[in-house]
Amino acid sequence: GAGVSQTPSNKVTEKGKYVELRCDPISGHTALYWYRQSLGQGPEFLIYFQGTGAADDSGLPNDRFFAVRPEGSVSTLKIQRTERGDSAVYLCASSLLGETEAFFGQGTRLTVV
Amino acid sequence: AQSVTQLDSQVPVFEEAPVELRCNYSSSVSVYLFWYVQYPNQGLQLLLKYLSGSTLVKGINGFEAEFNKSQTSFHLRKPSVHISDTAEYFCAVSESNFGNEKLTFGTGTRLTIIP
């Protein structure tokens, strides 16, 4: 596709369960970012990939959160032992190396019940 | 560390009236500045950005913003709004550091256009 694709668009899970959120960046974009947007807030940075490696994971809130990008394209954000406070919209963005414009997906709305 | 403040959480404006959405930032290093728009049920879309050079930048849909270094501001303006401008607007900043363009966002301003 032409844009950043995120799946699923909505995910409802029970407290304590494990979830995976997927991001397909724009083809050829080497930089990939994950953000989290809680209700009434702006997006907050979680992690940044340059190629396959996590160049900056300073925004991950705790060790329940982990992200991978094994082939330098698709990325998966993984959340273990989900808590109600993890409920938010998780946004993915991608960009070309050195470019300042990041293109955002529509997000995955995660609800932990 | 950098931060962004959007003082107005909601701004109602009559159609065809002008609008200004305020943004102030704080950073100890040089920054790039951005405005993103989020229409209902859509992803974030870049409106405009300031990297360097002229302090007045023009974006899509008739929006413009002015970078004021002394006041650490980057206010967004439009001379005449339309119903279709109803959306959430986010100001964001990144360090002007090649290689990691992670963004710090403000809390957003919801612009509502009144017919």
Side-chain angles (χ1 to χ4, degrees):
Chain A
V4 177
S5 176
Q6 292 188 247
T7 54
S9 56
N10 280 283
K11 176 71 176 179
V12 180
T13 190
E14 292 181 346
K15 179 177 178 293
K17 298 290 189 183
Y18 167 84
V19 296
E20 290 189 350
L21 312 179
R22 176 187 169 105
C23 172
D24 279 90
I26 293 173
S27 179
H29 281 194
T30 55
L32 186 145
Y33 304 83
W34 283 99
Y35 292 84
R36 178 169 71 173
Q37 186 174 15
S38 301
L39 194 61
Q41 302 295 317
E44 294 179 302
F45 170 77
L46 294 177
I47 187 169
Y48 158 64
F49 285 91
Q50 185 53 255
T52 60
D56 183 347
D57 64 358
S58 61
L60 294 177
N62 52 59
D63 61 5
R64 295 187 298 105
F65 288 75
F66 189 71
V68 295
R69 195 185 184 198
E71 298 179 357
S73 178
V74 171
S75 177
T76 304
L77 178 65
K78 308 180 181 194
I79 310 174
Q80 298 177 319
R81 305 182 305 280
T82 51
E83 301 177 356
R84 292 196 178 87
D86 299 334
S87 296
V89 176
Y90 289 82
L91 299 169
C92 178
S94 70
S95 68
L96 290 167
L97 178 62
E99 288 293 323
T100 53
E101 180 171 358
F103 295 84
F104 283 80
Q106 291 193 314
T108 294
R109 182 177 298 278
L110 176 66
T111 304
V112 182
V113 297
Chain B
Q2 56 220 21
S3 65
V4 177
T5 301
Q6 292 181 249
L7 289 173
D8 305 306
S9 59
Q10 297 188 60
V11 173
V13 181
F14 285 103
E15 193 173 14
E16 298 184 7
V19 68
E20 178 180 86
L21 305 184
R22 295 181 293 168
C23 172
N24 287 87
Y25 70 93
S26 173
S27 178
S28 57
V29 299
S30 296
V31 297
Y32 298 146
L33 293 156
F34 305 81
W35 276 98
Y36 280 83
V37 60
Q38 189 171 36
Y39 297 106
N41 301 315
Q42 295 189 28
L44 287 163
Q45 179 182 0
L46 181 67
L47 265 183
L48 48 78
K49 61 184 177 182
Y50 171 78
L51 304 182
S52 65
S54 173
T55 57
L56 182 64
V57 293
K58 294 186 183 297
I60 61 172
N61 301 339
F63 283 93
E64 63 181 33
E66 185 156 19
F67 170 58
N68 187 318
K69 188 174 182 179
S70 63
Q71 296 187 4
T72 60
S73 68
F74 190 55
H75 301 332
L76 181 71
R77 302 185 183 99
K78 186 170 182 177
S80 175
V81 296
H82 303 287
I83 290 288
S84 59
D85 293 323
T86 295
E88 187 96 23
Y89 292 79
F90 292 95
C91 182
V93 62
S94 73
E95 293 183 2
S96 52
N97 170 28
F98 174 81
N100 183 353
E101 312 296 349
K102 69 180 180 183
L103 297 162
T104 299
F105 286 86
T107 51
T109 297
R110 184 171 298 279
L111 177 62
T112 302
I113 309 303
I114 306 165

